[in-house]
Amino acid sequence: MIHFSQINKHYGQFHVLRDIDLHIKSGEVVVVIGPSGSGKSTLLRCINRLETVTDGELVVNDTKVNDKSTDINKLRRNIGMVFQHFNLYPHMTVLDNITLAPMKVNGMSNSEATEIAMHYLTKVGIPDKAKSFPSQLSGGQQQRVAIARGLAMKPQIMLFDEPTSALDPEMVGEVLDVMKSLAKEGMTMVCVTHEMGFAREVADRIVFMDQGQILEEGIPSEFFNNPQEERARQFLSRLNH
Amino acid sequence: MIDFTILTTYQDEYLKGFMTTIEASLLGLVGSFIIGVIIAVFRISSVRPLRWFGTAYVEFLRNIPLLITVFVFYHGLPVLHINLSGFASGTLGLAVYTSAFIAEAIRAGINAVPKGQMEAGRSSGLTYIQTMRYVILPQAIKVVIPPLGNQFINLVKNSSILGVVAGLDLMYFGDTINSETFDVFSTYIFVGLFYLVLTIPLSLFVGYLERRLARAY
């Protein structure tokens, strides 16, 4: 479903992504981990072209992402994204945040979009907040709204860019729970996170990155119990309390 | 000290000038806003030549005196055999001059909206224009209203430039009244009061908008 082939990206002199080869199947949950500045977020943001690549080929849903003829808006409809800082629209109610794209992109009627929005708000556990503004919600609630907003477009892929990094520790759980249930339902997910517990429990595959390269890939039990690369061992040992 | 009979004797002139000043201000306001929005869009465009044009436009206009800009339209265009009335060239010069400041205010407002907002909109499949329309501009407006209000107040006051190019505005009639009464102080006190009649309500309205927007969310 997502195919990186020999992807490279430079920011001026800085080589952010080096020879990335990564293939993600439909329904797979891939968790990308690694130290800060290793290119995890950049990798994720290439998938919906929030970042462009310097060379290589990236195919998502049988569409070449960086092709000139690609209708990027059409591709993005199928890819939901959740950001570290939620990026909810502060001037709109929770409900309007969720219905905007279904109405303006898919041409849904207000009542239809509202029904879908309420369905997903219920799913993330806060249907009572529909009429609130984002500023009236806790961080965890805001992030759950952001997930509902992404889901309302009924995407085939969900991208999570450090979704719990900006949250108070006590709110991390509620967001991870929503992500876990999503994973169980078979959503294709790519998550950049520092939550190793989540990665171990939910991921089908772990991708470990350092200095723009994928150093190691594997199923969680193997990766966490028996990492092959020295750099991965180092990284894990620093995390292990 | 102030000769109030001037106000009654020359009430027709004052009123005529007052109406022309309102007209010039309204036209200038609409014109400068439209040009300002276009230039602001150029300034944030990803197309380089548009950005250069926008930057050149703003830097050029806001760094030369208003009087020169108006003279270009009043004395410069006739060289090209385009003859505009004092009112038309004055108002046009005023709109063009003010648009540079408005463009800057709008650009600053758009830039004040966090980058993540554009990313959230675009990643949900909204086009650039849709994201601007529904996500960015409604937030930018809040930042833009106070400086925009100041520019519009300045515009009303700056419309007095029409007096220099026979634009038949308040200032122009002030000059003609003065040349008959030789009572500089009284004549222009009344001229000033007429400007206040326009600018004070405008200023109060901007303050009201600011307060309303502040508690919007």
Side-chain angles (χ1 to χ4, degrees):
Chain A
M1 186 161 242
I2 304 169
H3 301 279
F4 287 81
S5 314
Q6 286 297 303
I7 292 289
N8 278 279
K9 180 175 175 64
H10 298 263
Y11 278 129
Q13 289 296 310
F14 184 46
H15 203 162
V16 211
L17 295 177
R18 296 169 193 259
D19 302 330
I20 300 289
D21 277 303
L22 179 65
H23 303 276
I24 297 170
K25 291 194 291 285
S26 179
E28 204 175 6
V29 177
V30 172
V31 171
V32 185
I33 62 173
S36 319
S38 58
K40 311 181 294 287
S41 288
T42 308
L43 178 90
L44 188 79
R45 291 160 56 89
C46 284
I47 296 172
N48 64 353
R49 212 168 88 185
L50 283 185
E51 303 281 352
T52 54
V53 302
T54 312
D55 63 53
E57 191 175 74
L58 174 56
V59 178
V60 176
N61 265 345
D62 302 320
T63 308
K64 287 182 184 170
V65 176
N66 291 286
D67 220 49
K68 273 208 170 72
S69 61
T70 296
D71 180 352
I72 191 65
N73 297 318
K74 198 172 157 197
L75 180 71
R76 282 171 174 162
R77 276 178 226 169
N78 272 320
I79 309 174
M81 184 153 191
V82 175
F83 300 87
Q84 181 176 0
H85 296 288
F86 330 135
N87 297 354
L88 294 180
Y89 311 133
H91 59 300
M92 292 183 192
T93 62
V94 162
L95 191 62
D96 291 342
N97 261 276
I98 302 174
T99 56
L100 181 68
M103 285 168 66
K104 300 302 171 192
V105 178
N106 291 346
M108 238 177 235
S109 70
N110 190 15
S111 59
E112 221 179 332
T114 302
E115 198 177 313
I116 289 175
M118 288 314 296
H119 169 77
Y120 285 108
L121 272 180
T122 308
K123 193 178 158 81
V124 301
I126 39 174
D128 52 315
K129 299 293 184 190
K131 297 284 175 202
S132 304
F133 281 92
S135 60
Q136 297 166 316
L137 306 184
S138 72
Q141 290 171 331
Q142 288 190 49
Q143 194 60 299
R144 285 189 277 159
V145 171
I147 295 173
R149 180 174 69 177
L151 292 174
M153 288 294 284
K154 304 207 157 105
Q156 292 170 285
I157 301 168
M158 283 291 285
L159 308 176
F160 294 86
D161 190 2
E162 303 202 25
T164 58
S165 298
L167 296 177
D168 288 341
E170 55 184 328
M171 290 169 185
V172 169
E174 62 191 62
V175 171
L176 292 181
D177 285 343
V178 170
M179 291 169 64
K180 279 177 202 166
S181 69
L182 206 55
K184 281 202 192 91
E185 289 163 23
M187 175 67 78
T188 310
M189 290 166 61
V190 187
C191 316
V192 171
T193 184
H194 295 293
E195 293 296 329
M196 294 304 146
F198 171 80
R200 196 188 275 267
E201 185 187 332
V202 179
D204 294 313
R205 188 155 39 124
I206 304 289
V207 170
F208 176 74
M209 287 185 74
D210 188 33
Q211 298 185 344
Q213 278 176 302
I214 295 180
L215 286 190
E216 189 167 343
E217 279 183 64
I219 61 170
S221 56
E222 275 173 26
F223 176 79
F224 285 109
N225 299 331
N226 188 20
Q228 300 301 306
E229 291 286 330
E230 175 55 29
R231 187 69 187 89
R233 272 199 288 275
Q234 241 177 27
F235 178 75
L236 289 173
S237 71
R238 279 189 201 142
L239 291 174
N240 285 342
H241 358 276
Chain B
M1 200 172 70
I2 297 174
D3 182 0
F4 283 93
T5 59
I6 289 180
L7 195 55
T8 46
T9 315
Y10 295 98
Q11 58 173 332
D12 289 349
E13 281 85 350
Y14 274 124
L15 257 160
K16 221 171 138 194
F18 182 64
M19 295 317 285
T20 310
T21 291
I22 291 177
E23 209 179 320
S25 298
L26 283 177
L27 287 171
L29 194 144
V30 173
S32 64
F33 186 73
I34 292 171
I35 306 171
V37 168
I38 293 169
I39 296 297
V41 169
F42 281 13
R43 289 271 273 161
I44 57 167
S45 161
S46 56
V47 184
R48 231 176 254 172
L50 288 184
R51 222 161 49 220
W52 286 335
F53 177 81
T55 307
Y57 182 94
V58 167
E59 291 305 333
F60 194 72
L61 279 161
R62 70 173 177 182
N63 290 310
I64 51 175
L66 169 61
L67 186 59
I68 308 280
T69 311
V70 170
F71 272 4
V72 166
F73 287 99
Y74 190 61
H75 296 295
L77 288 183
V79 177
L80 304 170
H81 304 291
I82 302 168
N83 288 296
L84 297 177
S85 67
F87 175 80
S89 52
T91 307
L92 198 59
L94 185 65
V96 166
Y97 175 81
T98 311
S99 70
F101 296 91
I102 293 193
E104 276 308 90
I106 292 174
R107 186 182 70 99
I110 290 171
N111 284 345
V113 177
K115 225 176 96 234
Q117 294 289 307
M118 179 56 88
E119 290 186 348
R122 293 309 305 279
S123 68
S124 72
L126 294 169
T127 63
Y128 177 82
I129 291 173
Q130 285 177 320
T131 310
M132 270 289 168
R133 158 84 180 75
Y134 297 109
V135 178
I136 307 295
L137 292 180
Q139 296 182 64
I141 261 294
K142 213 169 138 167
V143 188
V144 169
I145 286 288
L148 218 54
N150 286 335
Q151 287 311 326
F152 287 146
I153 291 164
N154 277 338
L155 181 137
V156 173
K157 295 189 293 175
N158 283 342
S159 72
S160 61
I161 202 82
L162 265 72
V164 187
V165 291
L168 310 180
D169 70 321
L170 255 178
M171 200 63 187
Y172 173 83
F173 281 109
D175 292 343
T176 60
I177 295 163
N178 179 50
S179 65
E180 288 179 30
T181 61
F182 298 108
D183 188 345
V184 181
F185 186 66
S186 302
T187 304
Y188 288 107
I189 279 285
F190 296 130
V191 170
L193 283 175
F194 276 110
Y195 279 108
L196 280 179
V197 168
L198 291 177
T199 50
I200 286 184
L202 189 56
S203 162
L204 290 174
F205 179 65
V206 171
Y208 162 79
L209 273 185
E210 256 176 74
R211 281 190 304 279
R212 250 199 68 168
L213 285 166
R215 61 181 153 81
Y217 53 86

